[in-house]
Amino acid sequence: LRDIQVSQTAAVNGHAKTAAKPAWTVPSTFMNDLESIDFGKVETPSRLFLQTTALDSFARASKLATELSSPEIRVSNAYSMKTNPDERLIKLALGAGFYAEAISLLEVKKALETGFRADQIILNGPAKWWRRDTMPKAEFFGIFCDSIEEIERVTDEMNRGELTASFVGVRRRTP
């Protein structure tokens, strides 16, 4: 949303200072979405779904992941189901090639009901510990662990055939 413009300021003690200042721009998709809404019929408070803006954001994220990928490293996007469980956004994420990241059984079920397959879902947080008889029997895309103990537990369950995933990852909080 923002472009950086570099401008010269007045000379101070014979030296010019260069400063970067943001030049805010409003995306045309945002303006188009707003222009399509009949605000005379909108009650407040109200949530507005800006479909063109959302679609553009997903497309830009997908393009960036593709550009950052290489033959050795594949960059992927995942949609956090907990952040906004709006089915319209979930469908846009699926259409843009995102994975679904779920921390609960309800989020896994919603991802599946919206069109994701189990191999497009990443289990995170407590989602990996729900009762197995309530989870899909298919292999998940990934499982993220938060500790050495979780990695050991996930590994044990995978070795027993109780949990399957293409990969196991570690979430790391940087300092």
Side-chain angles (χ1 to χ4, degrees):
L1 291 179
R2 152 173 85 136
D3 296 323
I4 300 296
Q5 292 179 341
V6 176
S7 61
Q8 292 286 353
T9 60
V12 177
N13 294 330
H15 302 304
K17 291 185 176 180
T18 302
K21 72 178 189 185
W24 295 97
T25 57
V26 177
S28 61
T29 57
F30 185 79
M31 296 307 297
N32 292 339
D33 281 331
L34 289 178
E35 289 170 359
S36 70
I37 297 170
D38 182 355
F39 286 101
K41 295 180 180 177
V42 175
E43 295 183 21
T44 59
S46 183
R47 292 178 188 244
L48 302 174
F49 181 64
L50 307 177
Q51 182 167 343
T52 307
T53 301
L55 187 60
D56 182 63
S57 294
F58 283 113
R60 285 186 292 120
S62 291
K63 182 178 182 237
L64 182 60
T66 299
E67 290 171 355
L68 293 173
S69 293
S70 69
E72 297 82 25
I73 298 173
R74 187 178 118 212
V75 177
S76 302
N77 293 306
Y79 184 79
S80 172
M81 299 292 290
K82 73 177 174 291
T83 301
N84 192 337
D86 187 309
E87 190 170 310
R88 296 168 297 185
L89 289 171
I90 297 168
K91 286 180 178 179
L92 290 177
L94 175 62
F98 279 50
Y99 292 98
E101 183 261 343
I103 64 165
S104 73
L105 179 59
L106 289 175
E107 291 175 1
V108 170
K109 286 183 176 182
K110 182 148 191 175
L112 292 168
E113 290 167 1
T114 309
F116 281 93
R117 299 181 316 269
D119 67 343
Q120 295 172 304
I121 298 174
I122 298 168
L123 298 181
N124 212 345
K128 55 192 162 284
W129 308 126
W130 291 99
R131 290 184 14 221
R132 296 295 169 245
D133 61 336
T134 61
M135 297 292 268
K137 303 297 180 221
E139 181 175 82
F140 288 98
F141 174 70
I143 300 172
F144 291 161
C145 299
D146 296 320
S147 66
I148 298 296
E149 294 79 19
E150 273 197 356
I151 293 171
E152 290 170 348
R153 186 172 168 190
V154 166
T155 302
D156 288 344
E157 289 200 22
M158 291 179 82
N159 288 337
R160 290 193 306 267
E162 297 171 7
L163 191 60
T164 60
S166 297
F167 76 92
V168 175
V170 178
R171 288 192 329 156
R172 181 167 181 258
R173 192 177 121 217
T174 57

